[in-house]
Amino acid sequence: MRDAAPQTIYLSDYKPFGFEVTSVSLTFDLDPTATRVKSRIAFVPKPDAGGRMFLHGEKLKLISAQIDGAPVTPDLSDEGLTCAVPDAPFIWEAEVEIDPQNNLALEGLYMSNGMYCTQCEAEGFRKITYYPDRPDVMSVFTVRINGPHPVLLSNGNPVSAADGHAEWHDPWPKPAYLFALVAGELVAHPGSFTTRSGRTVDLNLYVRPGDEGKCAFGMQALKDSMKWDEDVYGREYDLDIFNIVAVDDFNMGAMENKGLNIFNSAAVLASPETSTDTNFERIEAIIAHEYFHNWTGNRITCRDWFQLCLKEGLTVFRDSQFTSDMRSAAVKRISDVIELRGRQFPEDQGPLSHPVRPESFQEINNFYTATVYDKGAEVIGMLRRLVGADAYANALDLYFNRHDGQACTIEDWLKVFEDATGRDLTQFKRWYSQAGTPRVTVKDAWYAGNYILSFTQNLKPSATTPDPQPQVIPIVTGLLSPSGEELVPSQVLELTEATQSFTFEGLPERPVPSVLRGFSAPVVLESELSEDHAAFLLAHDTDPFNRWEAGRGLARASLLAMIRSGSDPDPKYLDGIRAVLGDAELDPAYRALMLSLPSQSDLATALHDAGETPDPAAIWTASEAMREAQAQHLADLLPGLYADHQITESFAPDASQSGRRSLANATLSLLGRLEGPERAQAQFDTADNMTQQLAGLAVLLRQKAGKSALQSFETQWKEDRLVMDKWFGLQVMQAEPDAVASTAAALTGHADFNWKNPNRFRAVLGALATHHAGFHHASGAGYRLLADWLIKLDPLNPQTTARMCSAFQTWKRYDADRRALMAAELDRILALPDLSRDTTEMLTRIRGS
Ligand code: B3K
Ligand code: ZN
């Protein structure tokens, strides 16, 4: 039965563990259904240890336990064991049995395609053996693995290996969540990296036989990341070996286990024929992210899980910097902001809203959120903007020097910045404790050569932040002359009060402001400036982000007017993007982004913000009409743009080629509306890379001319599970709203719909949830189908189920009929007697009172 009153954990209740752990030695005798784990752990009681010790442990069969060689009989519960212990240093030994093959939650030790692997963050180690499974307990691990598999891996450096066993030693103290073990028939794609101090590190990317051809890109991304972290952060790798393993069954993207990163195969395997440009860029970023965790997460870890943003926000910020350096900074910034608005803003403004550092949780896995990760990274970006790049670099050096080997808090992090810069960060800290997206309004005034910008900030009270206080908001602002020159270059205006004005003196004429350049703070900016002003910035702004943002603002305003009153698309917007598209000096990737429209759920958010009830069908119709208008308005440019951005040289997944493909494919989709499907069919038929093939297929599906292409795609790729995930997902994404639920339902009946695999599950049901007009179809069929599948998945894999519940987080925005339909599905799931703690917490928060 479900726990009637799930336990809530509070940050304010934090207490250190009563013992030091000075060494851990583990021996695994691998067996699919009866793996034995022997542990030998050296504990040193702290003065107030109190003679009893609690160790976490879940779903373990205890075979034996000893203290200093004498058998003990601990008290067992569902959460772990309690045992009387000496008040002097002692050795704990235990043997447990676990069942990896039937572990379908993919947490702890489990099996994927016959291979053993682990996922311990956040609290999975307790499913492997009894242990103080909390991040502030750090220790040195030695691991022996006995098993017949050719590859036996764990953390650290190899000590010995022979037929049937391997031993690993990790000299760096680490929390248990960074433990990893892999065993199986794997092949290595090897590499090597020489650190700046001249040490040689062996690199390996381990994959299933058959995937060897998909490793080269990931290996290069790893080397690039290692070099970048040395060059930019002065951080060198610290073991003799760095292994990455690709696994098909994985709940998220990847995991930064010390020296043994484990990756969802979708987040590491790449080849031109099977991966899109978007895949390549994402893979490069995730490899960097996990590698960067070696310092920001592993060497310096979190004291408790409330501090998750300490490692995640910082590491996302670092991987964004890396991608900006490797590719285009402007394109990366725009993509990050699209992502933030698409995922984090709805979370921050709905029932799942929580501070970047939450203060309570029931299931920590539910807090690996866009707020902790992406807003957490924005907070670091603001800090860097406020103190400046040099002071940021000094503060990071101090952070690494002061806290290496420690489990830290946000207070430690901010203190480093205060000590390095002399700045008081008391008010800045509110970014970590207050939930919600601040709204900033701006007004301007002009008199006698003075130009005044007045800002107001406002944060809506919420359950976790009932009495919000003003935050420090860095607003990067520049002023342009009426003829489009940069009159006052970008500077940081620090908004600290609820209302505050900034005056620019001695200007020859009334300037045109460009506010919140580079999206310098994660806020909603409401400007009283006109659409002429936006059109001017779209034509002239020197800040590439704000130039794009001006276009996006015009598109949004026009779409909202079309939704509300059926008006025509705004010619100012269409003329503006026409000028940008025709400017061959501009990066093609940037021009492609100019063509993209605000997502339909973003439009729903905007309507909701304005106090209106979004109608998904009307939003769909307006978005389609705007696409048609783009196609008509750019008709004469499109064939040339398509032809000029074809690539004749051999495939490279770099920023330059992918930008050209992205613009060509954006024009292909518009051309499809003007000309019919022939051009897309030709591209599909002749494509030698997945980006082109999939873009061709998408247009064919949208034109309802994709039947034979779908079949030939399936025939060509049926053995490639990652490509088949795309095949499953695309059909749902490209369906008309009326057909989304039935298409998804039909796909769940396909012989290859292996729903226990999270990638395949997400390919179909995740696509359903993100198709705004399809999921929110008035029939309620989308809601029902998703709920049916969440009900089916929850008993096996609570983590992925709970994560996908967020599809319902905006339910209260919609009309009474849709609200009733969604509430009924939420209640249907919540009524299940054995619903997991993960899903119960998510749905209870979403449903509200
Ligand atoms: N730290 C892991 C995420 C673990 C999620 C556990 N539910 C991957 C990452 O952020 O790098
Ligand atoms: Zn991370």
Side-chain angles (χ1 to χ4, degrees):
M1 281 293 284
R2 172 173 3 149
D3 186 352
Q7 209 193 334
T8 301
I9 321 281
Y10 295 94
L11 167 59
S12 54
D13 286 346
Y14 172 81
K15 286 199 183 52
F17 186 53
F19 304 80
E20 302 285 341
V21 177
T22 52
S23 71
V24 178
S25 174
L26 302 172
T27 302
F28 288 81
D29 290 307
L30 295 176
D31 180 277
T33 54
T35 288
R36 288 286 175 106
V37 186
K38 294 194 198 86
S39 58
R40 188 175 195 281
I41 306 170
F43 287 100
V44 178
K46 294 180 188 167
D48 54 355
R52 283 181 79 72
M53 177 172 76
F54 173 76
L55 299 179
H56 296 104
E58 282 176 23
K59 298 191 163 73
L60 305 173
K61 187 160 137 197
L62 181 62
I63 307 294
S64 65
Q66 284 136 47
I67 290 182
D68 291 333
V72 290
T73 310
D75 297 332
L76 301 181
S77 73
D78 286 349
E79 283 87 43
L81 61 74
T82 310
C83 193
V85 296
D87 57 10
F90 62 92
I91 302 291
W92 162 268
E93 286 172 286
E95 181 167 4
V96 301
E97 187 176 295
I98 52 178
D99 181 357
Q101 189 163 296
N102 290 306
N103 176 359
L104 300 173
L106 315 182
E107 200 184 45
L109 178 68
Y110 66 94
M111 300 196 76
S112 171
N113 293 318
M115 139 190 184
Y116 292 84
C117 60
T118 52
Q119 172 55 38
C120 292
E121 187 177 359
E123 298 180 334
F125 191 74
R126 63 191 63 183
K127 294 181 173 173
I128 293 177
T129 192
Y130 288 100
Y131 195 74
D133 187 9
R134 38 187 292 166
D136 57 348
V137 174
M138 299 173 81
S139 187
V140 170
F141 282 61
T142 304
V143 177
R144 183 184 166 99
I145 313 167
N146 298 320
H149 316 84
V151 173
L152 299 168
L153 306 173
S154 191
N155 316 90
N157 295 319
V159 177
S160 66
D163 264 4
H165 92 267
E167 191 167 314
W168 292 80
H169 176 71
D170 182 0
W172 299 104
K174 66 167 177 292
Y177 82 84
L178 291 173
F179 167 82
L181 178 152
V182 169
E185 299 209 7
L186 298 165
V187 283
H189 176 100
S192 158
F193 181 80
T194 306
T195 68
R196 62 178 183 173
S197 68
R199 285 186 311 101
T200 303
V201 182
D202 290 336
L203 312 175
N204 291 293
L205 177 42
Y206 283 98
V207 297
R208 279 166 62 189
D211 286 336
E212 298 88 332
K214 295 183 179 177
C215 297
F217 179 79
M219 179 56 75
Q220 188 56 46
L222 174 60
K223 293 178 190 170
D224 292 342
S225 309
M226 295 177 89
K227 175 82 170 64
W228 186 91
D229 215 14
E230 290 186 349
D231 292 347
V232 179
Y233 278 82
R235 298 295 109 202
E236 196 172 321
Y237 186 61
D238 52 5
L239 291 166
D240 303 338
I241 188 162
F242 188 86
N243 289 322
I244 292 180
V245 180
V247 181
D248 287 341
D249 299 284
F250 207 65
N251 279 332
M252 64 263 173
M255 177 63 212
E256 70 264 24
N257 316 298
K258 182 79 187 188
L260 178 54
N261 285 190
I262 298 182
F263 272 62
N264 186 325
S265 47
V268 60
L269 300 181
S271 77
E273 298 74 32
T274 59
S275 312
T276 63
D277 288 320
T278 312
N279 296 149
F280 278 107
E281 183 174 334
R282 176 168 178 262
I283 287 168
E284 183 179 79
I286 297 182
I287 288 179
H289 179 98
E290 305 311 332
Y291 175 73
F292 297 158
H293 267 315
N294 191 54
W295 275 94
T296 50
N298 301 2
R299 289 284 285 258
I300 303 179
T301 194
C302 303
R303 186 193 72 173
D304 54 70
W305 291 119
F306 296 103
Q307 320 294 331
L308 186 57
C309 63
L310 179 77
K311 74 180 178 79
E312 295 304 347
L314 178 54
T315 307
V316 171
F317 180 69
R318 275 152 48 72
D319 83 56
S320 293
Q321 288 182 302
F322 169 77
T323 300
S324 303
D325 286 355
M326 299 292 288
R327 292 167 180 263
S328 150
V331 167
K332 174 63 176 161
R333 188 64 189 139
I334 293 167
S335 315
D336 281 353
V337 173
I338 290 175
E339 172 88 2
L340 191 78
R341 286 183 175 146
R343 295 202 317 123
Q344 200 275 326
F345 279 21
E347 181 171 277
D348 221 359
Q349 295 163 31
L352 296 177
S353 175
H354 55 275
V356 170
R357 182 173 69 175
E359 286 167 19
S360 69
F361 62 76
Q362 290 174 357
E363 171 50 62
I364 184 57
N365 282 328
N366 289 336
F367 285 84
Y368 286 74
T369 58
T371 298
V372 169
Y373 275 64
D374 299 338
K375 188 174 176 185
E378 292 296 321
V379 171
I380 311 267
M382 286 190 287
L383 197 48
R384 186 170 184 271
R385 226 159 268 133
L386 287 168
V387 303
D390 291 344
Y392 172 84
N394 292 338
L396 267 284
D397 285 344
L398 180 59
Y399 179 62
F400 293 123
N401 288 334
R402 185 183 283 180
H403 293 296
D404 187 11
Q406 295 178 8
C408 294
T409 60
I410 290 303
E411 282 72 18
D412 295 327
W413 164 254
L414 291 176
K415 180 79 169 58
V416 161
F417 275 80
E418 290 189 327
D419 291 351
T421 65
R423 215 183 150 103
D424 179 352
L425 292 172
T426 313
Q427 188 185 8
F428 185 82
K429 196 178 171 193
R430 290 181 187 151
W431 279 107
Y432 287 99
S433 60
Q434 299 196 149
T437 313
R439 274 161 203 279
V440 174
T441 51
V442 56
K443 280 195 264 202
D444 69 343
W446 165 254
Y447 74 94
N450 293 320
Y451 183 67
I452 301 149
L453 283 173
S454 305
F455 296 91
T456 302
Q457 60 168 305
N458 180 32
L459 185 61
K460 248 210 217 131
S462 60
T464 51
T465 309
D467 182 24
Q469 299 298 311
Q471 295 178 183
V472 187
I473 304 181
I475 301 183
V476 174
T477 300
L479 302 180
L480 297 161
S481 73
S483 55
E485 271 88 53
E486 186 92 337
L487 206 58
V488 175
S490 289
Q491 55 181 267
V492 184
L493 307 179
E494 281 186 34
L495 178 62
T496 55
E497 310 292 327
T499 300
Q500 202 171 340
S501 297
F502 300 86
T503 304
F504 300 83
E505 290 169 356
L507 297 174
E509 53 196 331
R510 182 180 187 131
V512 182
S514 170
V515 175
L516 203 70
R517 281 183 162 176
F519 202 68
S520 58
V523 300
V524 173
L525 180 66
E526 284 161 359
S527 165
E528 292 187 0
L529 306 170
S530 69
E531 277 156 26
D532 285 341
H533 170 254
F536 178 89
L537 293 184
L538 173 55
H540 299 293
D541 205 331
T542 54
D543 180 71
F545 176 84
N546 262 14
R547 195 173 177 192
W548 171 84
E549 177 80 329
R552 171 115 330 194
L554 284 172
R556 188 185 303 111
S558 178
L559 280 160
L560 293 177
M562 291 161 75
I563 294 162
R564 286 172 177 142
S565 61
S567 61
D568 287 335
D570 179 1
K572 280 197 201 75
Y573 165 66
L574 294 169
D575 290 344
I577 57 163
R578 187 183 162 86
V580 170
L581 264 286
D583 183 349
E585 303 277 289
L586 289 170
D587 176 3
Y590 184 74
R591 284 188 276 161
L593 280 170
M594 278 286 184
L595 274 179
S596 75
L597 295 179
S599 75
Q600 294 181 34
S601 62
D602 284 2
L603 294 169
T605 305
L607 289 163
H608 173 70
D609 285 351
E612 298 165 48
T613 302
D615 173 357
I619 295 175
W620 166 272
T621 306
S623 301
E624 282 296 297
M626 184 61 104
R627 282 260 164 249
E628 285 295 329
Q630 284 184 331
Q632 298 295 343
H633 203 78
L634 303 170
D636 57 322
L637 293 182
L638 294 173
L641 282 170
Y642 183 74
D644 292 349
H645 294 90
Q646 297 304 310
I647 290 165
T648 47
E649 61 266 39
S650 59
F651 182 93
D654 57 19
S656 153
Q657 277 200 16
S658 79
R660 281 144 73 197
R661 277 188 287 274
S662 148
L663 183 54
N665 287 332
T667 58
L668 179 73
S669 133
L670 294 177
L671 279 166
R673 293 174 184 267
L674 299 173
E675 310 172 332
E678 291 74 21
R679 196 186 289 259
Q681 185 72 53
Q683 176 169 319
F684 176 82
D685 291 340
T686 56
D688 64 355
N689 63 76
M690 184 48 64
T691 307
Q692 300 291 89
Q693 193 178 9
L694 207 65
L697 183 58
V699 175
L700 290 172
L701 289 173
R702 186 45 71 82
Q703 302 288 309
K704 302 207 175 55
K707 209 165 168 212
S708 82
L710 260 186
Q711 267 164 14
S712 74
F713 190 99
E714 185 183 11
T715 309
Q716 183 183 358
W717 294 116
K718 62 176 178 302
E719 300 306 328
D720 190 306
R721 63 239 182 255
L722 296 177
V723 179
M724 284 305 286
D725 287 337
K726 302 183 201 306
W727 181 86
F728 274 93
L730 194 69
Q731 295 179 63
V732 181
M733 287 185 248
Q734 296 302 332
E736 299 281 325
D738 283 347
V740 166
S742 58
T743 304
L747 287 168
T748 62
H750 190 284
D752 290 334
F753 182 68
N754 170 13
W755 60 275
K756 295 176 186 168
N757 174 267
N759 290 358
R760 190 59 48 92
F761 189 93
R762 280 188 289 254
V764 177
L765 282 319
L768 165 69
T770 49
H771 192 305
H772 185 258
F775 180 60
H776 292 288
H777 192 269
S779 65
Y783 307 146
R784 269 194 303 281
L785 184 65
L786 182 63
D788 286 346
W789 280 97
L790 295 178
I791 287 170
K792 198 161 166 174
L793 187 64
D794 186 65
L796 272 55
N797 188 334
Q799 220 180 104
T800 291
T801 310
R803 182 161 277 267
M804 292 191 64
C805 290
S806 58
F808 288 107
Q809 69 178 317
T810 54
W811 72 280
K812 283 190 184 161
R813 291 183 178 167
Y814 294 92
D815 53 87
D817 290 346
R818 285 186 174 84
R819 281 205 307 273
L821 288 166
M822 283 190 267
E825 297 307 328
L826 295 171
D827 292 344
R828 178 159 73 99
I829 308 175
L830 275 166
L832 295 172
D834 296 322
L835 198 65
S836 68
R837 179 175 65 202
D838 308 55
T839 303
T840 305
E841 183 188 25
M842 285 294 277
L843 291 185
T844 311
R845 288 163 67 207
I846 289 171
R847 182 72 170 90
S849 44

